[in-house]
Amino acid sequence: METLSTNNQDRKFLQIFTNGTILAKFFMAVLIVCTNCISANAQDWHELYKKGQEYEKKSITGKAMTCYEEALKISNNDTILRAVANCLYMRGYYRKCINLCREIIERDENNEDLTLIAKCYEKISIPDSSVVYQKILANREIENYSNLMSLARNLADIQEYDTAIVYLDRYYKVDSTNLIVNTQRAYTLFQLERFKEAEAEYRKLLDAGMENIGINYYLGMACSSLGKKNDARDYLYRAVKISQRGNAYILAKYGAAAVESGSVVEGRNVIEEAIEKLQPDTTFLSSLRYMQAKAYMTYFDYDNGIKYYKMAWDLDHSQYNVLYMIARAYGLNKDHKNEEKYLRMFVDKVNACEEDEEKEVYEKLLATAEKRLSELNVEKFFKGEQ
């Protein structure tokens, strides 16, 4: 009896053990399958991400985006999202890039995200918003030269020079040898009217071999503000020379400095040269007045139409069709005396053209004008005015 009982217990234990082993094997198999699936999926998104990166390096951003979008279907993670954001920036979707970066930094902020947002705001010409993120980056790492320069320039755009100099001075204490930053710092000092400091910094830049129009111009202007008339003239002359006398504003400042330093004849001649360069493009202005006149004529405002046609003619006497339009406006305004006057002026100008090609331009208008003059003569005859 004891032997039988022992055998039954052994069988039950064996059955439990066997069933447990089978179950354990089953769970192990399931675990292996799941692990393989996860591993396969991880490998899939990594492969797609890697492929997208390769396309991005070649600036094939359309295909890169496709890879990233497929990768996101497998794993919606910030690594892929950051790559998408970068592609959006490269493809000009600045607002979408900003929104995506903001979504990412709510979970996991890094400096690259803030930099990208700042760059997007620069692209859509909102420097004050860009400054917000660039200040955060500068406060974290002042030695980030690229961010510092963008920050300083954006602060200059919104004329916050007092804030700009704070960050530029902080950088200067760490690295006083960066000529690009030092140029921006000198300019900021000049804008703050700290002319003595600006002069010193600009002289250092010249000594270091940094010479361009801006450095010489602002050094000259700083010297002028400090009463150093000869230095002002000399540095402004260098700016004029480098610009090949193409900048009327710099020419004018040099002319004034020359006069102040005693080079009166030179200064007078340079100022005259600057004035000539500052003269407006009369042909372009005439075309604008002509369009203003047409706008008034559209609403049957003949008085203003005539006024602006005449202004167009005064600016450019080479466009004879303007005379015809003045005559037409007078005709519509029932002022036939002036209509005839300007029609005759138009006809005389065209007939006086020496070049046949020039006459051909006005051929149809000329025929219309001569016909209208005949009609006016008939009207005058019947009114007894001839």
Side-chain angles (χ1 to χ4, degrees), residues 131-146:
V131 159
V132 172
Y133 293 92
Q134 287 164 344
K135 281 182 178 179
I136 295 169
L137 290 164
N139 288 329
R140 289 178 180 177
E141 190 178 23
I142 194 63
E143 290 177 87
N144 183 337
Y145 141 77
S146 178

Side-chain angles (χ1 to χ4, degrees), residues 64-83:
M65 279 291 285
T66 301
C67 289
Y68 297 145
E69 286 167 359
E70 289 299 314
L72 284 171
K73 292 176 183 177
I74 300 167
S75 176
N76 189 5
N77 66 68
D78 289 343
T79 299
I80 306 169
L81 288 172
R82 285 190 170 101

Side-chain angles (χ1 to χ4, degrees), residues 289-309:
R289 293 301 189 192
Y290 184 87
M291 291 307 298
Q292 283 181 300
K294 283 186 72 175
Y296 280 115
M297 293 295 290
T298 301
Y299 289 97
F300 312 107
D301 186 347
Y302 303 127
D303 290 332
N304 274 315
I306 291 164
K307 174 185 172 181
Y308 284 98
Y309 277 135

Side-chain angles (χ1 to χ4, degrees), residues 286 310 312-320 323 349:
S286 175
K310 284 184 175 181
W313 172 249
D314 289 340
L315 286 163
D316 186 3
H317 283 188
S318 68
Q319 302 298 314
Y320 301 147
L323 291 172
K349 289 286 186 184

Side-chain angles (χ1 to χ4, degrees), residues 159-331:
Q159 298 188 337
E160 290 190 16
Y161 299 108
D162 52 346
T163 305
I165 200 64
V166 171
Y167 287 97
L168 288 163
D169 282 348
R170 281 176 57 194
Y171 182 94
Y172 191 78
K173 288 176 182 177
V174 177
D175 179 7
S176 62
T177 62
N178 189 321
L179 299 182
I180 304 299
V181 175
N182 292 352
T183 302
Q184 187 68 29
R185 184 169 175 270
Y187 169 76
T188 305
L189 289 167
F190 177 88
Q191 293 299 333
L192 288 168
E193 299 184 5
R194 291 162 59 176
F195 299 121
K196 193 170 183 179
E197 293 171 84
E199 179 200 8
E201 290 305 315
Y202 277 124
R203 288 188 186 279
K204 287 179 187 176
L205 287 166
L206 286 177
D207 290 342
M210 278 283 285
E211 181 163 16
N212 56 40
I213 297 168
I215 289 172
N216 282 290
Y217 171 78
Y218 285 110
L219 177 53
M221 293 304 296
C223 289
S224 177
S225 297
L226 293 167
K228 300 179 178 181
K229 297 177 182 180
N230 290 338
D231 283 349
R233 178 199 61 209
D234 293 344
Y235 287 114
L236 286 167
Y237 174 72
R238 285 163 73 166
V240 165
K241 192 175 179 181
I242 296 170
S243 66
Q244 300 180 333
R245 308 183 83 87
N247 188 307
Y249 190 76
I250 295 174
L251 273 171
K253 292 295 183 181
Y254 165 60
V259 171
E260 287 293 317
S261 65
S263 303
V264 178
V265 175
E266 167 73 0
R268 186 184 63 200
N269 292 338
V270 170
I271 289 170
E272 186 62 36
E273 184 182 348
I275 289 170
E276 287 179 13
K277 288 184 180 296
L278 286 168
Q279 291 301 312
D281 183 343
T282 54
T283 301
F284 179 62
L285 285 177
S286 175
S287 70
L288 293 177
R289 293 301 189 192
Y290 184 87
M291 291 307 298
Q292 283 181 300
K294 283 186 72 175
Y296 280 115
M297 293 295 290
T298 301
Y299 289 97
F300 312 107
D301 186 347
Y302 303 127
D303 290 332
N304 274 315
I306 291 164
K307 174 185 172 181
Y308 284 98
Y309 277 135
K310 284 184 175 181
M311 289 171 75
W313 172 249
D314 289 340
L315 286 163
D316 186 3
H317 283 188
S318 68
Q319 302 298 314
Y320 301 147
N321 61 302
V322 178
L323 291 172
Y324 176 84
M325 297 306 295
I326 295 171
R328 183 170 175 271
Y330 271 124

Side-chain angles (χ1 to χ4, degrees), residues 313 317-328 338-353 358-373:
W313 172 249
H317 283 188
S318 68
Q319 302 298 314
Y320 301 147
N321 61 302
V322 178
L323 291 172
Y324 176 84
M325 297 306 295
I326 295 171
R328 183 170 175 271
N338 275 313
E339 179 188 10
E340 182 181 1
K341 173 186 171 182
Y342 280 92
L343 282 172
R344 291 197 182 283
M345 284 175 66
F346 169 73
V347 170
D348 291 344
K349 289 286 186 184
V350 174
N351 286 332
C353 291
E358 194 174 359
K359 282 185 179 180
E360 287 176 9
V361 173
Y362 301 106
E363 189 175 347
K364 289 183 180 179
L365 282 182
L366 183 62
T368 305
E370 288 175 338
K371 181 182 178 183
R372 179 59 182 156
L373 283 170

